[in-house]
Structure formats: C-alpha cells, structure tokens
Amino acid sequence: MPKASKHTASRVEDMGVMEGRYEELGGYTVGFEHFREDADATSLLRGLPDDRCQSPHWGYVVEGRVTFRYPDREEAYESGDAYYAPRDTSP
C-alpha cells in the first residue's frame, strides 16, 4: 500500500509564509503544510474561477487553527480537529 510522510514527500514547495510537502497517492494529492506565521491565502487563489479553490480538502490540524471562508460562512478548525472542507459551490 502506498504511503507518504512529510519526510518522504517527493515535491517540496516553499511559498515564504508556508512550506508544503506533497505526494500523489491513489489519485489524490496528500499535503503536509506548515505555516511559519499567520497567513491569509486569498491572494494565492486569485485567478481561479471566482477566485476560490475548486477542490475539496480533508485534513487534520496538528497545531494552531485553520479557517475556511465561504461567501456565506466561515468554518474554523483547531488543534486535534479532523475536517472536510467541501468545494465551494456558492453562486
């Protein structure tokens, strides 16, 4: 069975405020992401349809907090939370 860890991930992307380590497993991208400081990813999404991420996300917050902002709500997850953030299908 394929597996990955942050130490074995084959693709590393350093985006300044965030470092991501990624591996493709069974048609999915598994990411290990570390934010060096509080960040707003809005600018990273510019240029996508409606300037929003088009992919669903499953994750686990190891430390800190992550907030997903939708046009009609926010969903926040903290250390110890597993989450599913669906693709934003708002008009």
Side-chain angles (χ1 to χ4, degrees):
M1 177 182 314
K3 66 178 183 174
S5 74
K6 68 180 181 180
H7 304 292
T8 64
S10 62
R11 191 173 89 233
V12 178
E13 295 182 19
D14 190 331
M15 297 170 232
V17 70
M18 183 196 87
E19 179 186 80
R21 296 174 174 268
Y22 304 97
E23 191 65 53
E24 300 296 320
L25 297 177
Y28 292 92
T29 300
V30 176
F32 302 90
E33 297 173 331
H34 172 74
F35 287 82
R36 296 179 176 109
E37 58 190 61
D38 289 349
D40 183 343
T42 303
S43 64
L44 299 174
L45 304 176
R46 280 199 192 100
L48 295 175
D50 298 320
D51 294 329
R52 296 186 208 144
C53 185
Q54 303 299 302
S55 300
H57 297 271
W58 291 261
Y60 179 79
V61 181
V62 175
E63 181 180 341
R65 175 184 175 105
V66 62
T67 302
F68 291 88
R69 290 185 180 90
Y70 296 90
D72 61 341
R73 70 191 186 288
E74 288 187 359
E75 296 179 5
Y77 306 95
E78 298 181 349
S79 297
D81 288 342
Y83 64 84
Y84 168 65
R87 176 183 174 271
D88 183 6
T89 57
S90 303

